């Protein structure tokens, strides 16, 4: 809440290490509220840290091999862990137990290298396997199934490029998939059909994708040791699939409250029956290219700041812990390089609301970076100003004159009796400046008129088919839930 009240002109990039967490982690992810940090470990567990107390509050122990992906639901109630043991586990942090209750378990036929929640509904998941296959998993009873994302016109699997990375875009409409051939595929989540195919010249293998908060800017990390930023355009709306060509098939019992989608994907959709529209095929031109021209270092990970004005890149330097930061608002100029010591970096992630970073070393230590703000003593007294050096103070004529206390009390009482307008502030109801006749609309009616969270692109007040589909059978991840803090005194978990 207080983050929205900060002056945007004073927010800058992190500069120093605030604290270090010894957790044996391979990477770490902030939750959407920014209060907790999930650390994935190679022993098959995930640890949740409370950043205020710097203590572990949950241990998610359910895998027998290293955790490869961690993701939070939009309100932080559910957390997803994927592992090399071919499983994805969804944990319910609202349960008062440690480890938390398993909300769902999904098993595949190969190790899972990446997984994430849908931005609008945690019952929809995205998974990338080590074999190069990408799946959308739908846990809703009326849409239950596991659907593979693939090209419909590529009959020869030997010539098909391997999918190396996959991400939901921030709106949840599309899935962006990077390949080993430097190609970027765009799939519609609702229809599972291919929408666009982009070529990136000279990129090589695409190793990572990162979106700015608005979703219009995309950064790619490729094997040519270059981070590229692109500005995405709008994609045409796909046709609505019919019920006879594989839009949705049941998988398992729809009445199962704790679904376990094991075995092969018996409900895969045939994309050839959906992709009857024209696929956009273009070559993306980057707006910026970021690299190290001196050392030619590769990049482990990258992350945007909450406002999208800064981009952090973690260098794959075997001798140092380096984080490069570029100023996107200043034409992508290089801003600074953060030095975290001699332990090499393996991952970096930006805080969702403030100017903080979490970088992970190869020894499992998480470094939390922040931007220290200088103390402003003048803020404690509004009538005074800070001075860089001593100055002679000239006293005003009546500055320290004594006043009658009875008169001050009477003046204060008169101010308390004045009527306060708590609903005013807007004189007119329309943009033309003329008041409208009749009663004023309520706040809820005004919100519906302006546009709510279910509006389509452009905020025209009309619902979007993709959003309607995603909002069907919503999960229990609502605002206002509380996590029970569980800590064991005197026990060192590491």
């Amino acid at each position: 809440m207080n983050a929205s009240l900060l002056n945007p002109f004073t927010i800058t990039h992190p500069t120093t290490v605030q604290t270090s967490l010894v957790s044996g982690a391979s990477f770490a992810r902030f939750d959407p509220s920014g209060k907790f940090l999930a650390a994935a470990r190679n022993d098959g567990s995930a640890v949740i840290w409370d950043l205020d107390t710097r203590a572990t509050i949950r241990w998610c122990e359910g895998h027998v091999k290293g955790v490869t992906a961690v993701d939070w639901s939009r309100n932080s109630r559910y957390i997803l862990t994927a592992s090399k043991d071919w499983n994805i586990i969804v944990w319910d942090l609202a349960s008062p137990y440690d480890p938390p209750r398993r909300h769902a378990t999904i098993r595949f036929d190969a190790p899972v290298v990446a997984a994430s929640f849908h931005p609008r509904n945690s019952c929809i998941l995205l998974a990338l396997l080590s074999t190069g296959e990408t799946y959308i998993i739908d846990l809703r009873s009326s849409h239950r199934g596991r659907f593979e994302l693939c090209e419909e016109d590529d009959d020869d699997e030997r010539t098909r490029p391997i999918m190396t990375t996959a991400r939901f875009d921030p709106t949840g409409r599309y899935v962006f998939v990077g390949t080993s051939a430097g190609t970027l595929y765009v799939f519609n989540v609702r229809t599972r059909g291919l929408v666009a195919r982009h070529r990136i010249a000279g990129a090589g293998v695409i190793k990572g994708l990162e979106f700015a908060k608005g979703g219009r800017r995309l950064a790619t990390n490729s094997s040519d040791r270059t981070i590229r930023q692109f500005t995405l355009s709008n994609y045409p709306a796909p046709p609505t699939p019919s019920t006879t060509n594989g839009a949705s098939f049941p998988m398992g019992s729809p009445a199962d409250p704790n679904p376990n989608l094991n075995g092969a994907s018996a409900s895969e959709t045939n994309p050839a029956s959906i992709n009857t529209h024209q696929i956009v095929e273009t070559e993306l031109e980057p707006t910026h290219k970021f690299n190290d021209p001196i050392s030619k270092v590769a990049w482990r990970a990258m992350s945007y700041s909450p406002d999208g004005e800064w981009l952090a890149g973690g260098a794959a330097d075997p001798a140092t812990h380096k984080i490069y930061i570029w100023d996107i608002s200043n034409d992508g100029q290089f801003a600074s390089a953060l030095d975290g010591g001699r332990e090499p970096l393996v991952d970096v992630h930006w805080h969702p609301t403030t100017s903080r970073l979490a970088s992970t070393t190869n020894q499992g230590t998480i470094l939390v970076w922040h931007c220290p703000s200088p103390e402003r003593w003048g803020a404690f007294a509004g009538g005074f100003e800070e001075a860089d050096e001593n100055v002679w103070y000239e006293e005003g004529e009546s500055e320290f004159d004594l006043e009658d206390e009875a008169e001050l009390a009477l003046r204060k009482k008169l101010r308390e009796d004045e009527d306060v307008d708590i609903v005013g502030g807007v004189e007119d109801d329309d943009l033309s400046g003329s008041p409208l006749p009749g009663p004023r609309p309520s706040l809820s009616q005004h919100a519906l008129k302006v546009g709510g969270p279910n509006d389509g692109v452009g905020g025209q007040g009309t619902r979007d088919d993709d959003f309607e589909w995603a909002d069907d059978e919503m999960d229990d991840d609502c605002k206002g839930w509380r996590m029970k803090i569980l800590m064991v005194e005197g026990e060192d978990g590491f």
Side-chain angles (χ1 to χ4, degrees):
M1 176 179 178
N2 294 332
S4 61
L5 303 178
L6 297 177
N7 186 356
F9 297 102
T10 62
I11 299 177
T12 181
H13 61 81
T15 56
T16 59
V17 176
Q18 181 184 24
T19 184
S20 60
L21 306 175
V22 181
S23 59
S26 55
F27 61 91
R29 291 291 180 268
F30 289 105
D31 81 306
S33 68
K35 298 179 181 179
F36 308 108
L37 184 69
R41 293 163 54 92
N42 289 322
D43 61 359
S45 63
V47 186
I48 300 178
W49 290 82
D50 187 344
L51 294 178
D52 292 333
T53 62
R54 299 175 188 175
T56 58
I57 57 175
R58 285 291 192 279
W59 283 78
C60 300
E61 298 174 322
H63 299 285
V64 296
K65 292 186 178 181
V67 176
T68 58
V70 169
D71 194 27
W72 296 83
S73 61
R74 64 191 183 282
N75 291 318
S76 306
R77 173 172 176 174
Y78 299 105
I79 186 171
L80 171 152
T81 58
S83 173
K84 299 176 183 178
D85 63 358
W86 304 6
N87 290 328
I88 292 178
I89 301 178
V90 180
W91 307 87
D92 185 3
L93 298 181
S95 60
Y97 310 108
D98 192 24
R101 182 180 68 88
R102 296 193 186 192
H103 180 69
T105 302
I106 304 101
R107 183 169 178 81
F108 293 89
D109 296 331
V112 184
V113 297
S116 59
F117 284 119
H118 190 278
R120 300 178 67 92
N121 195 337
S122 61
C123 293
I124 307 171
L125 288 75
L126 177 67
L128 174 66
L129 307 185
S130 61
T131 55
E133 300 170 343
T134 303
Y135 292 92
I136 291 179
I137 303 97
D138 201 331
L139 304 180
R140 297 173 295 178
S141 59
S142 60
H143 304 274
R144 182 182 301 271
R146 184 183 308 185
F147 310 94
E148 182 180 4
L149 302 179
C150 60
E151 292 185 274
E152 79 286 353
D153 55 353
D154 196 353
D155 298 331
D156 191 357
E157 295 185 358
R158 294 174 298 179
T159 61
R160 179 189 303 176
I162 299 176
M163 296 181 179
T164 54
T165 181
R167 287 286 300 271
F168 283 114
D169 78 316
T171 65
R173 285 192 181 93
Y174 305 106
V175 171
F176 285 73
V177 179
T179 68
S180 59
T183 307
L184 190 65
Y185 295 148
V186 183
F187 294 91
N188 182 271
V189 177
R190 174 173 55 91
T191 64
R192 276 85 62 181
L194 185 64
V195 175
R197 185 187 297 110
H198 300 297
R199 298 179 301 274
I200 302 177
V205 180
I206 300 178
K207 301 190 297 181
L209 301 174
E210 184 71 19
F211 286 94
K213 189 174 183 180
R216 293 299 302 272
R217 284 183 297 189
L218 169 68
T220 62
N221 179 20
S222 52
S223 59
D224 64 345
R225 305 186 176 187
T226 301
I227 295 177
R228 295 172 173 83
Q229 178 181 274
F230 305 93
T231 300
L232 301 175
S233 59
N234 295 326
Y235 296 105
T240 302
S242 62
T243 57
T244 58
N245 56 8
S248 178
F249 293 94
M251 185 174 187
S253 174
D256 186 5
N258 188 15
N260 188 331
L261 305 183
N262 296 327
S265 54
S267 60
E268 297 173 3
T269 302
N270 181 16
S273 59
I274 296 178
N275 279 294
T276 58
H277 64 289
Q278 186 68 26
I279 299 174
V280 178
E281 295 203 28
T282 58
E283 180 173 335
L284 290 180
E285 292 293 336
T287 57
H288 298 95
K289 290 184 179 182
F290 308 104
N291 53 25
D292 190 339
I294 299 176
S295 60
K296 300 292 184 180
V297 67
W299 306 102
R300 292 283 191 184
M302 54 193 173
S303 183
Y304 276 104
S305 64
D307 55 3
E309 302 297 330
W310 305 91
L311 177 64
D317 194 326
T320 59
H321 189 101
K322 288 284 188 180
I323 302 175
Y324 292 77
I325 296 181
W326 296 276
D327 188 356
I328 304 299
S329 60
N330 191 19
D331 199 23
Q333 294 294 324
F334 173 73
S336 66
L338 309 181
D339 190 354
R342 295 186 177 275
E343 295 182 0
L345 179 145
V346 294
D347 187 74
V348 64
H349 188 238
W350 208 299
H351 194 276
T353 57
T354 62
S355 181
R356 302 174 74 183
L357 277 170
S359 61
T360 311
T361 69
N362 65 342
Q363 300 299 319
T365 303
I366 303 174
L367 304 180
V368 180
W369 303 74
H370 76 134
C371 179
S373 57
E375 296 181 347
R376 300 183 180 274
W377 297 101
F380 295 98
F384 291 87
E385 296 181 359
E386 294 186 9
D388 296 334
E389 56 184 11
N390 293 333
V391 295
W392 288 101
Y393 179 73
E394 297 181 0
E395 179 183 341
E397 181 178 354
S398 60
E399 183 174 358
F400 296 103
D401 293 346
L402 297 177
E403 296 188 31
D404 188 6
E405 294 184 359
E407 183 180 352
L408 291 176
L410 179 60
R411 193 184 310 166
K412 182 178 179 181
K413 188 176 186 311
L414 292 176
R415 284 199 301 264
E416 291 177 352
D417 294 338
E418 293 179 357
D419 294 334
V420 179
D421 184 12
I422 62 174
V423 296
V426 180
E427 298 295 335
D428 302 328
D429 288 323
D430 59 346
L431 299 178
S432 62
S434 59
L436 295 178
R440 299 177 63 88
S442 62
L443 292 178
S444 59
Q445 293 173 342
H446 180 69
L448 291 176
K449 181 176 68 174
V450 174
N454 294 325
D455 291 344
V457 178
Q460 301 298 323
T462 58
R463 289 187 60 87
D464 187 274
D465 291 339
D466 296 326
F467 288 168
E468 286 186 347
W469 175 84
D471 294 341
D472 186 23
E473 295 186 33
M474 289 296 294
D475 53 19
D476 298 329
D477 185 24
C478 303
K479 292 183 179 180
W481 75 278
R482 289 298 186 92
M483 182 192 306
K484 185 177 180 181
I485 305 300
L486 301 177
M487 292 186 294
V488 179
E489 297 182 1
E491 178 179 330
D492 186 3
F494 308 102

